[in-house]
Amino acid sequence: MKIIKRLTGFFFSLSTTLWFLGLLLLLLFAGAFIMPGTQEFQELHSIPLFDWLQKQPLKITWWLWGLTGILAVLALNTIFCSIESIVRKRKVTQWLLLISPQIIHIGFLFMIFAHLLSAIGASQELVVVREGSLVKISDDNTVLKIEDINIKIDYYGYITGWAVSVEYLSDGKTFLKDIIKPNNPSVQMGFNINVKDIRAYPEAVLLQINREPGALWALTGGILFMAGIVTLIILKIKLER
Amino acid sequence: MLILTLSFACYLFAIRKRPLLYLGLVLQVAYMISRAAELGRLPLVGPHDTLVFLTASIAAFAVPFGFALKDRNRFFNVVSILAAVFTAFAMTTKQHNSPLPPVLKTFWFECHVVLAFMSYALFGIAAILGSLYLKDQQDSIEGLQYRAVLVGYCLFTLSMIFGGIWAYLAWGTYWVWTPKELWTSILWAFYTFYVHVRLRQWWMGKPTAVLGIAGFGVVMFTYLGVSLLMKSSHGF
């Protein structure tokens, strides 16, 4: 019983938040000096973070393992503190003032969850394609066909834009057509297909096929976080007046 | 460049005559408009243009914060010196005049950069207020520092969200493991620590003032240090 009480006390405490945020900062600082000089980090974008972590030596990954643990504690701490705050202050008249910090916390939790999903299931593949190229993008026989590559070049020879027409084929039949432009990827079947690089002569495209399962969660988290923080600032300004 | 040189002179002499600070700001805004007209886009790429934008943001944000202070002379003096130093640095760096790559021509990129530098400016204001608090020990100054950090933190978070959206649309991922992203996380975690620490009574005052000053050191390294010393996804 004592252990449970101590454990809940630990997770309910603001001191836990501060200590673990401090530790998080220390590990991020360590990582900021380890990462730039380590070649292995170049591969990190092509496979999920957790797969990469298991393959690499602990001497370069210890800070990332540490960060994962600290973020797990901070996530639990956030949930406990938010519940405690709502229960303790439930009778306040300014409910928006009570709820807005909790919305910020929910936004933070969504972002952590997004990173967790991406750390488990994100992937990236690079492939050079030309007009007529076929690229297999999933295990269910779905193939991407590059129909047309259109590059815009200005008077000075700079590439100013592009439009890559693609078709999705299943068992040889087209079921979807799309156009990839700068900042306008083809997002289909959980994949984000975009142009990483393009060459005019001869026409060739470096296509990037990404799977980012946390993207929507991260966006939702970001919107919630901002909604909470903006509401909180407006309320604080109103209260001071 | 003449307009920028004049704005530098204005900031430098604003220590004697405060209206020169406002004139320096007006000149710098005029310089940014002239650059935008020349380039046909917002001048927000490379150290030159971003330093000018940062300086103008510091000077602009200093006005409301300065007028909330009782003893505003020292505050405006430090702002003037900081603005002069950044402007001088901007004058020594090369302008980025070539056309932007297509992926940079988007609303998300512009918002990402504008918000990031506005937040940097507010963190700078917070650092100046922190140093004034250490000298005067007036609670109102520390309160102002907290406000500067809170609004800066809000803008910085929004900048990160916009950056994530842009990165997802341009490169298919909202997060890349590069030194710039890592330092951005450090900066965000640092100010998250600041806003939580201030909830504790015994941390208010001197400790938070010191944190506010140290935070600007992290800002400067994230902005200039990483870009100059490390290979990263961001030019600046």
Side-chain angles (χ1 to χ4, degrees):
Chain A
M1 199 65 184
K2 252 186 180 178
I3 295 171
I4 295 170
K5 218 175 179 183
R6 270 191 183 177
L7 210 61
T8 48
F10 172 79
F11 282 116
F12 275 124
S13 169
L14 177 64
S15 296
T16 305
T17 316
L18 298 180
W19 276 107
F20 277 80
L21 273 173
L23 280 171
L24 182 89
L25 271 169
L26 283 177
L27 289 184
L28 282 170
F29 270 121
F33 289 99
I34 294 168
M35 199 174 83
T38 315
Q39 193 64 32
E40 285 86 341
F41 281 89
Q42 300 294 325
E43 297 167 23
L44 183 49
H45 300 111
S46 51
I47 55 170
L49 174 69
F50 286 143
D51 287 355
W52 180 86
L53 276 174
Q54 284 167 27
K55 286 175 189 163
Q56 301 304 326
L58 202 61
K59 66 173 184 181
I60 62 161
T61 59
W62 60 270
W63 62 280
L64 277 167
W65 286 112
L67 280 179
T68 310
I70 288 169
L71 284 171
V73 173
L74 280 172
L76 284 173
N77 177 237
T78 306
I79 295 167
F80 276 70
C81 284
S82 286
I83 293 168
E84 194 257 357
S85 180
I86 291 170
V87 171
R88 190 162 44 89
K89 299 175 190 169
R90 66 186 180 280
K91 283 176 185 163
V92 294
T93 48
Q94 288 251 3
W95 69 272
L96 258 178
L97 199 61
L98 164 69
I99 215 78
S100 50
Q102 313 327 324
I103 293 172
I104 298 173
H105 288 159
I106 294 168
F108 167 72
L109 290 171
F110 268 67
M111 286 190 249
I112 294 289
F113 186 62
H115 279 281
L116 181 68
L117 284 179
S118 294
I120 295 167
S123 66
Q124 189 185 73
E125 196 187 329
L126 289 168
V127 55
V128 178
V129 292
R130 292 183 174 82
E131 281 181 8
S133 296
L134 295 168
V135 184
K136 193 181 174 197
I137 57 166
S138 68
D139 296 331
D140 63 350
N141 290 331
T142 304
V143 173
L144 185 80
K145 186 182 179 191
I146 312 303
E147 267 299 301
D148 181 52
I149 299 169
N150 187 357
I151 305 170
K152 285 181 193 163
I153 299 170
D154 71 3
Y155 178 76
Y156 302 100
Y158 286 107
I159 291 175
T160 57
W162 59 75
V164 178
S165 303
V166 294
E167 283 185 8
Y168 289 84
L169 305 148
S170 180
D171 296 325
K173 287 180 185 168
T174 304
F175 67 93
L176 196 80
K177 289 183 178 183
D178 208 350
I179 299 174
I180 304 169
K181 289 178 183 174
N183 296 303
N184 186 16
S186 177
V187 182
Q188 300 293 342
M189 302 154 61
F191 290 98
N192 176 316
I193 302 169
N194 60 82
V195 171
K196 188 173 170 72
D197 206 356
I198 200 157
R199 199 174 62 183
Y201 306 108
E203 261 181 6
V205 170
L206 182 61
L207 217 57
Q208 191 167 241
I209 304 166
N210 280 78
R211 188 191 276 274
E212 195 62 277
L216 202 62
W217 291 90
L219 180 66
T220 313
I223 292 167
L224 286 170
F225 196 102
M226 283 317 298
I229 202 166
V230 169
T231 312
L232 189 66
I233 289 175
I234 291 169
L235 287 172
K236 283 201 171 198
I237 292 168
K238 272 190 177 176
L239 274 177
E240 280 183 16
R241 279 180 186 168
Chain B
M1 207 56 151
L2 176 71
I3 308 175
L4 198 61
T5 313
L6 283 173
S7 78
F8 166 71
C10 286
Y11 286 140
L12 202 62
F13 293 108
I15 300 163
R16 292 286 170 93
K17 295 265 180 209
R18 199 194 310 149
L20 287 172
L21 176 72
Y22 312 133
L23 184 62
L25 173 61
V26 170
L27 285 168
Q28 218 155 31
V29 171
Y31 177 74
M32 285 192 288
I33 292 169
S34 73
R35 288 273 300 149
E38 182 191 336
L39 300 168
R41 58 169 168 86
L42 291 181
L44 296 169
V45 179
H48 177 83
D49 289 320
T50 52
L51 273 165
V52 172
F53 186 77
L54 175 66
T55 314
S57 302
I58 290 173
F61 281 125
V63 178
F65 279 96
F67 281 97
L69 285 167
K70 280 178 198 157
D71 177 19
R72 58 192 68 132
N73 279 341
R74 267 188 301 144
F75 172 75
F76 279 120
N77 286 347
V78 182
V79 168
S80 303
I81 292 165
L82 196 65
V85 169
F86 282 146
T87 308
F89 191 16
M91 285 158 65
T92 62
T93 54
K94 208 179 151 195
Q95 293 174 336
H96 187 285
N97 293 331
S98 53
L100 289 184
V103 287
L104 295 190
K105 291 178 197 165
T106 166
F107 158 84
W108 301 110
F109 166 73
E110 287 167 352
C111 286
H112 169 61
V113 179
V114 166
L115 290 167
F117 282 97
M118 282 166 73
S119 66
Y120 288 178
L122 281 162
F123 293 145
I125 297 284
I128 296 170
L129 290 165
S131 62
L132 292 182
Y133 174 81
L134 291 181
K135 207 151 196 301
D136 294 350
Q137 305 279 312
Q138 282 179 32
D139 289 343
S140 59
I141 300 176
E142 196 260 358
L144 276 177
Q145 187 203 39
Y146 174 63
R147 281 177 222 182
V149 166
L150 202 59
V151 179
Y153 180 69
C154 178
L155 297 182
F156 188 65
T157 308
L158 196 55
S159 161
M160 285 175 77
I161 294 167
F162 280 8
I165 295 171
W166 170 48
Y168 182 76
L169 295 175
W171 300 292
T173 178
Y174 61 93
W175 179 262
V176 280
W177 286 96
T178 67
K180 192 72 169 189
E181 275 75 10
L182 203 55
W183 277 94
T184 302
S185 309
I186 291 173
L187 188 58
W188 189 78
F190 187 91
Y191 283 104
T192 304
F193 183 71
Y194 175 100
V195 293
H196 281 88
V197 139
R198 209 177 169 279
L199 296 170
R200 276 281 156 93
Q201 196 69 33
W202 51 270
W203 269 88
M204 283 172 76
K206 204 174 168 183
T208 46
V210 172
L211 275 181
I213 297 166
F216 195 54
V218 183
V219 168
M220 282 293 101
F221 192 82
T222 305
Y223 168 36
L224 293 170
V226 176
S227 305
L228 295 171
L229 303 172
M230 298 171 187
K231 194 183 164 195
S232 192
S233 59
H234 291 60
F236 262 90

